[in-house]
Amino acid sequence: MKNSLLIHNNNVPFKNQFAKTIAFKPTGVDIDEYITHDIIPQIKKLNPQIIYIKDNLSSNYLELYGLRLVYHIRLSQELGVKRLLPIVLLSDLDSSLLNRLSSMGRVLFTKNIFIAKNSIEAVKKIDTLEIKPFKEELYEDEFLNLIEVEPPKDYLSHHDISNEWAIYRWAKFLKVDSEAIIKNREKIASMLYFKYLLAKNPIEIEKKNGIQFVPRPPEKSGKVLYIDDEWAKGWSDILKQYFSKNQNIEFKTFKHDFKDSYKYIIKSKAKKKCEEYEPDLVILDLRLSKSDHSQKEITKLTGIEIVKAIKNINPAIQIIMLTATGKSTILESLYEHGILGYIKKEHPHDVSISTKDNFDKLKKLVDKGLDKKYLKEVWEIQKKVLELHLPNEIQLEVKSIFELLDTDMENRFNYAMFAIVKSIEIITNIYTEEKWEDGKRYAYWKNSNDKISSNYGNTNDSTENKIRTILDEKLFLGDLNIHNSLQEIIKIRNNTIHPKQGSVEKITEDNILIWFKMLQTILEKIEQ
Amino acid sequence: MKKILLIEDRQSRQQLFMNHTNIDLNEYRDILDNKIGKAYDEVYESFQNRDFDFDDYAMVIVHKSAFNGDTQEVLYGIENECKNRAIPLVLFSGGITANYYEEEKSFKKLELNSKDLYSQNLKMFLENYRKSGNIGLLMLSYGQRWKLDIVLNCMEKINIFIETHKDEEDILYDEFVNHTEFHLLESLKVQYYKPTIENGWLYLSEVEKIALSIALYIKESLTYEK
């Protein structure tokens, strides 16, 4: 038979009739690896026009490796158009029995796959057929959509499959080629199931017009800590590469040996790492210990317990969950624990997750999280202020500052500024009181007939005059920066309430930090 | 009777599988040595020290992934011991995508997925061993279909025999049996056409009738399969 190739296990008696032959002899290795590394390259090299395969390629007929090989040929992208060659399966059974024996038998009903008896007459008959070529554009309709490849049976390893699949995709987009990534690629690239997944969900790095998709890095600056039991499998390398595109981001991985670690050890070490490193943002996995895989209560998952521990250190540390879980009930409940958002790792069974979308989402979340990094300092100031012996009214105002800033409200900076000014007003009420005289209002020192000086602001009873006079005459706080800040915040407060055309100033996180520190200094002085 | 040795580092996974399949491995204590938990640690140490006594066992089943990286040498050691003593070896792992059987001289090795091992196949295998003392490795891999596998192998050989002898009219019966392992069918109590043998010879048409009857047996087995 001209330009034909036979793949056999010494069980085709007329093998010398074929132009080329390959003896199928796996030796103690995984069968998918053997096919990928030994058989597929030989097919590529021999360049036949038609391939004959005996259905049984081992000493156990039921293994039906011949059928498995057919799938490999059709799904091995490295074969290019050769993966579409006509294939004849030589069998002792008919297609209906092969289908009863194995669900893989359905490949017999796809384009250019033929079945023939293991006899020279049957093969000669096939040789006379005029086989029309299988065109690439028909690949999906006439093959891919008609077959299914099942994942490895052990359902407990599905978490691994999902993880390896996601690593493979992220690494491809980011062109990461570290040792862990290569190991992951080698592990999965030969697996028939992954070849199938890849054919079903191709990685479209290149758009049709030739423009490449390049994941955009975040734009903000800050410190990012990554906590995941799968870090060494390639995730750490992937994220390191991703964040390296922005030099203003410092990225660190919590390099713990999770494999034999108990939950309480993981939790305490992760907490310690957060305390030492003081990250602005944490990327955290949900399931980090062995016990998590049988844990049904969401709140007892190691990831959630670490979220609580981090929020105890400083609730302003932003957390993004990177998880393989696909359960929407779990994912949505994560928000109840104060996380910024979540990234769902790509799952072979959930085609709705796109790697490109994941990169976009990650960028948005990281930028949003790092935008909030100033809140860590806000929280520290608030903590120190609340340790002072303050009147309840001031305590309430101070407490509201962090809460207001930790929202997505558009006017959160304005509201925080009002809370600071309100605290200042409460302070002025401690030291001064107002009295009416000749139809005019004046500020007096409390329980006294002495008017306070009028060195600042427009009037004696203005908030600016009152607080700055208190600083001068009662607290002896002559710090020019404090005075300037007071002048600024009151001016901006007034402008915000009574805006003059074009004069409303935009309040920034830097303003808030300066003003809150100023308030802290004043309150500490009062405490003294 | 010698026992079957099962070495499993992931005790909770075994428990999960057993709950799932409703099999209590403790019921097979008389024939199964299930090394899990502390017993696993002890046997592992013994393997490392190379002082484990394999003589008490008729077969060894090992979780392949328990011996990765630095500890892979230990697995090679187990395999060598089994090979030298002709003790059948089963390696299982969740990562094994297709079951694989290898027979080298008198040493038999089977690699299979964890889910295939911890299934009704294991119960069938253990009960058969307890009853007959035979190691039915194929039962672990194919369960109820283990007989069918032997019949299919036999049919393939008969068809090859027919193809290579198609120009001959009569065949030496002994030659036919040697080439096809036809005798196995007798012990499996498979219904097949009984050929007419004259003075140690039979017609090729008789062989073809055998092949047809076996094909029919296979068809019926699959049609009425539970």
Side-chain angles (χ1 to χ4, degrees):
Chain A
M1 266 76 66
K2 213 177 158 191
N3 218 353
S4 61
L5 168 67
L6 169 74
I7 301 168
H8 64 93
N9 180 34
N10 285 325
N11 49 1
V12 177
F14 46 95
K15 64 181 179 198
N16 52 2
Q17 300 287 316
F18 296 87
K20 291 145 191 168
T21 59
I22 297 174
F24 193 87
K25 289 200 182 307
T27 44
V29 292
D30 181 86
I31 204 73
D32 282 349
E33 275 182 34
Y34 171 70
I35 292 174
T36 304
H37 300 309
D38 281 60
I39 302 295
I40 297 295
Q42 286 193 68
I43 294 173
K44 203 174 170 183
K45 200 175 148 195
L46 293 171
N47 199 18
Q49 273 178 354
I50 184 165
I51 304 172
Y52 290 82
I53 301 170
K54 180 69 181 83
D55 59 351
N56 175 27
L57 290 174
S58 67
S59 54
N60 287 309
Y61 207 108
L62 276 178
E63 279 166 352
L64 286 171
Y65 287 155
L67 268 179
R68 199 169 184 87
L69 178 57
V70 174
Y71 277 78
H72 266 281
I73 293 171
R74 283 285 186 263
L75 292 167
S76 291
Q77 291 182 357
E78 61 267 38
L79 279 175
V81 287
K82 284 180 198 147
R83 73 191 197 288
L84 307 176
L85 284 171
I87 299 174
V88 182
L89 195 74
L90 300 176
S91 181
D92 298 274
L93 304 164
D94 59 29
S95 56
S96 130
L97 286 181
L98 273 172
N99 264 285
R100 279 178 195 270
L101 278 178
S102 166
S103 59
M104 284 195 142
R106 70 176 71 172
V107 77
L108 295 166
F109 304 112
T110 65
K111 180 88 178 167
N112 278 2
I113 304 282
F114 306 91
I115 183 165
K117 272 186 78 176
N118 188 15
S119 72
I120 185 70
E121 282 78 21
V123 169
K124 278 182 177 164
K125 211 170 161 186
I126 292 274
D127 202 37
T128 60
L129 292 178
E130 206 173 296
I131 301 169
K132 286 181 185 166
F134 182 5
K135 288 182 182 159
E136 185 86 50
E137 56 265 32
L138 296 175
Y139 183 71
E140 255 185 74
D141 288 344
E142 305 243 1
F143 171 68
L144 202 54
N145 293 341
L146 304 177
I147 57 131
E148 200 172 332
V149 177
E150 287 169 13
K153 287 179 189 168
D154 180 358
Y155 66 95
L156 289 171
S157 67
H158 280 196
H159 178 71
D160 285 344
I161 291 174
S162 168
N163 196 47
E164 285 155 2
W165 175 235
I167 290 173
Y168 182 81
R169 296 184 71 85
W170 284 56
K172 272 268 176 195
F173 275 106
L174 288 166
K175 299 189 174 87
V176 184
D177 239 354
S178 69
E179 201 181 317
I181 297 294
I182 293 169
K183 205 172 154 193
N184 182 67
R185 195 169 55 221
E186 280 175 356
K187 186 178 170 195
I188 69 169
S190 59
M191 276 174 73
L192 183 61
Y193 180 59
F194 275 101
K195 289 184 182 180
Y196 171 66
L197 288 180
L198 206 56
K200 288 288 256 188
N201 311 284
I203 297 176
E204 289 164 342
I205 293 177
E206 195 138 334
K207 284 186 187 170
K208 278 176 188 163
N209 54 11
I211 299 168
Q212 273 208 342
F213 171 81
V214 180
R216 282 185 305 150
E219 286 154 18
K220 309 288 173 183
S221 64
K223 286 160 80 175
V224 179
L225 177 66
Y226 174 52
I227 305 174
D228 189 341
D229 60 329
E230 311 280 0
W231 68 270
K233 291 188 178 167
W235 280 111
S236 177
D237 299 330
I238 286 168
L239 291 176
K240 193 176 164 190
Q241 165 86 354
Y242 176 68
F243 286 115
S244 69
K245 293 180 181 176
N246 176 346
Q247 290 184 334
N248 297 318
I249 290 181
E250 188 183 301
F251 174 76
K252 221 169 215 159
T253 299
F254 172 52
K255 291 183 175 172
H256 179 69
D257 182 8
F258 286 85
K259 201 183 166 198
D260 298 313
S261 213
Y262 290 105
K263 185 175 164 182
Y264 73 93
I265 295 175
I266 296 171
K267 219 172 80 181
S268 73
K269 291 209 168 167
K271 189 179 168 218
K272 200 175 163 217
K273 183 77 190 173
C274 281
E275 283 166 341
E276 286 167 4
Y277 183 56
E278 299 180 340
D280 301 311
L281 187 139
V282 176
I283 298 176
L284 177 66
D285 187 16
L286 189 60
R287 293 189 167 91
L288 294 154
S289 70
K290 275 183 190 169
S291 60
D292 286 340
H293 295 281
S294 51
Q295 180 58 260
K296 288 196 174 101
E297 230 173 292
I298 299 166
T299 52
K300 286 186 179 162
L301 292 173
T302 313
I304 296 293
E305 293 195 359
I306 292 177
V307 170
K308 287 179 199 158
I310 293 171
K311 292 289 177 187
N312 256 334
I313 298 168
N314 189 324
I317 299 174
Q318 304 297 312
I319 300 168
I320 299 169
M321 305 299 291
L322 178 63
T323 172
T325 194
K327 286 184 187 154
S328 53
T329 46
I330 295 181
L331 293 168
E332 288 310 311
S333 72
L334 294 176
Y335 286 107
E336 290 165 20
H337 303 279
I339 66 150
L340 186 67
Y342 61 80
I343 302 282
K344 248 195 316 181
K345 285 178 186 171
E346 291 80 341
H347 196 284
H349 297 152
D350 186 354
V351 289
S352 69
I353 314 167
S354 135
T355 311
K356 286 180 188 176
D357 291 348
N358 264 350
F359 278 119
D360 286 343
K361 192 175 176 187
L362 181 63
K363 182 201 175 304
K364 277 181 198 151
L365 284 174
V366 171
D367 277 339
K368 190 176 171 188
L370 293 180
D371 237 355
K372 289 186 171 186
K373 70 176 181 189
Y374 75 98
L375 278 175
K376 270 168 58 190
E377 208 178 335
V378 170
W379 175 259
E380 289 301 332
I381 298 169
Q382 176 174 308
K383 204 170 133 190
K384 282 180 191 153
V385 170
L386 291 175
E387 282 165 7
L388 304 170
H389 301 91
L390 304 173
N392 277 345
E393 291 165 282
I394 295 185
Q395 276 206 19
L396 286 173
E397 291 300 330
V398 169
K399 271 185 191 166
S400 74
I401 294 171
F402 180 82
E403 284 167 19
L404 287 165
L405 292 170
D406 195 24
T407 64
D408 291 329
M409 284 189 299
E410 202 183 331
N411 290 326
R412 60 188 184 280
F413 291 134
N414 289 4
Y415 295 134
M417 178 265 293
F418 285 133
I420 295 170
V421 175
K422 180 74 185 164
S423 303
I424 292 166
E425 285 172 346
I426 297 167
I427 296 168
T428 64
N429 288 340
I430 296 169
Y431 291 93
T432 68
E433 57 188 350
E434 288 168 355
K435 290 178 187 174
W436 290 87
E437 203 180 300
D438 301 330
K440 273 191 166 179
R441 206 172 51 184
Y442 292 97
Y444 284 74
W445 292 113
K446 198 118 189 190
N447 303 325
S448 135
N449 288 323
D450 298 333
K451 269 188 205 160
I452 69 164
S453 315
S454 301
N455 299 327
Y456 309 104
N458 299 330
T459 59
N460 153 281
D461 71 332
S462 71
T463 305
E464 187 189 341
N465 185 54
K466 283 191 280 187
I467 188 67
R468 293 181 71 181
T469 307
I470 291 168
L471 295 193
D472 288 343
E473 297 180 22
K474 295 288 177 189
L475 301 175
F476 309 107
L477 197 60
D479 187 331
L480 201 61
N481 289 333
I482 302 278
H483 278 268
N484 287 344
S485 296
L486 277 168
Q487 194 181 14
E488 183 188 45
I489 189 171
I490 289 163
K491 187 182 139 209
I492 291 179
R493 191 274 308 258
N494 292 342
N495 280 353
T496 309
I497 297 172
H498 310 291
K500 290 170 196 163
Q501 212 175 4
S503 70
V504 178
E505 288 177 55
K506 201 178 168 228
I507 302 166
T508 66
E509 61 214 41
D510 291 336
N511 293 132
I512 297 290
L513 277 174
I514 291 169
W515 297 335
F516 202 11
K517 276 184 206 159
M518 167 203 75
L519 180 65
Q520 180 191 4
T521 313
I522 297 171
L523 291 168
E524 280 169 353
K525 194 76 185 171
I526 294 171
E527 172 99 343
Q528 281 171 18
Chain B
M1 187 186 274
K2 285 186 177 180
K3 283 188 174 184
I4 311 280
L5 175 66
L6 172 57
I7 303 160
E8 169 67 288
D9 57 327
R10 292 174 66 182
Q11 188 173 0
S12 54
R13 176 179 71 165
Q14 187 187 74
Q15 198 51 53
L16 253 169
F17 272 125
M18 293 300 96
N19 291 343
H20 197 67
T21 50
N22 217 5
I23 300 171
D24 182 3
L25 287 181
N26 290 324
E27 280 180 18
Y28 300 95
R29 269 188 198 147
D30 56 323
I31 49 162
L32 180 75
D33 211 348
N34 187 16
K35 300 284 190 193
I36 48 172
K38 209 179 160 192
Y40 166 80
D41 295 335
E42 284 167 9
V43 80
Y44 182 84
E45 205 182 314
S46 187
F47 283 140
Q48 273 193 318
N49 299 334
R50 294 175 183 267
D51 59 6
F52 185 80
D53 190 0
F54 283 83
D55 284 340
D56 297 339
Y57 297 100
M59 184 171 113
V60 177
I61 307 174
V62 186
H63 178 217
K64 193 179 180 185
S65 319
F67 304 93
N68 269 333
D70 298 342
T71 58
Q72 212 159 20
E73 286 298 321
V74 181
L75 185 64
Y76 295 150
I78 297 171
E79 192 166 336
N80 269 337
E81 286 293 338
C82 288
K83 205 179 257 182
N84 294 338
R85 294 159 198 263
I87 298 172
L89 175 68
V90 175
L91 301 176
F92 67 97
S93 161
I96 292 173
T97 47
N99 297 350
Y100 176 73
Y101 178 77
E102 196 182 357
E103 203 171 330
E104 194 191 323
K105 292 176 188 167
S106 53
F107 173 59
K108 291 171 184 166
K109 187 173 110 177
L110 175 68
E111 292 201 18
L112 79 171
N113 187 279
S114 313
K115 204 180 177 188
D116 280 341
L117 175 77
Y118 291 126
S119 67
Q120 293 302 325
N121 294 3
L122 180 60
K123 190 177 178 180
M124 187 181 173
F125 167 82
L126 290 171
E127 280 171 7
N128 175 66
Y129 180 65
R130 185 187 268 159
K131 206 170 138 193
S132 68
N134 291 332
I135 298 285
L137 266 189
L138 292 176
M139 282 182 199
L140 282 180
S141 196
Y142 303 121
Q144 299 283 1
R145 282 183 169 177
W146 70 275
K147 261 191 201 179
L148 187 63
D149 185 61
I150 297 171
V151 178
L152 280 164
N153 288 330
C154 190
M155 185 178 76
E156 184 188 47
K157 289 188 178 101
I158 293 173
N159 284 339
I160 292 170
F161 188 86
I162 292 170
E163 182 68 19
T164 46
H165 293 77
K166 62 185 172 191
D167 298 330
E168 295 164 32
E169 200 175 320
D170 21 331
I171 312 284
L172 251 178
Y173 182 67
D174 283 350
E175 192 195 344
F176 169 63
V177 173
N178 284 342
H179 276 88
T180 60
E181 294 176 352
F182 180 59
H183 59 284
L184 290 174
L185 299 186
E186 198 70 54
S187 57
L188 294 176
K189 294 176 185 158
V190 172
Q191 299 283 325
Y192 62 91
Y193 173 77
K194 302 286 184 292
T196 310
I197 304 157
E198 285 175 36
N199 300 323
W201 290 82
L202 78 167
Y203 288 114
L204 184 69
S205 57
E206 289 292 286
V207 177
E208 283 167 347
K209 281 179 190 166
I210 296 170
L212 269 174
S213 68
I214 293 171
L216 192 66
Y217 169 84
I218 291 166
K219 194 173 181 179
E220 282 178 356
S221 301
L222 287 169
T223 307
Y224 302 113
E225 196 174 48
K226 280 177 195 167

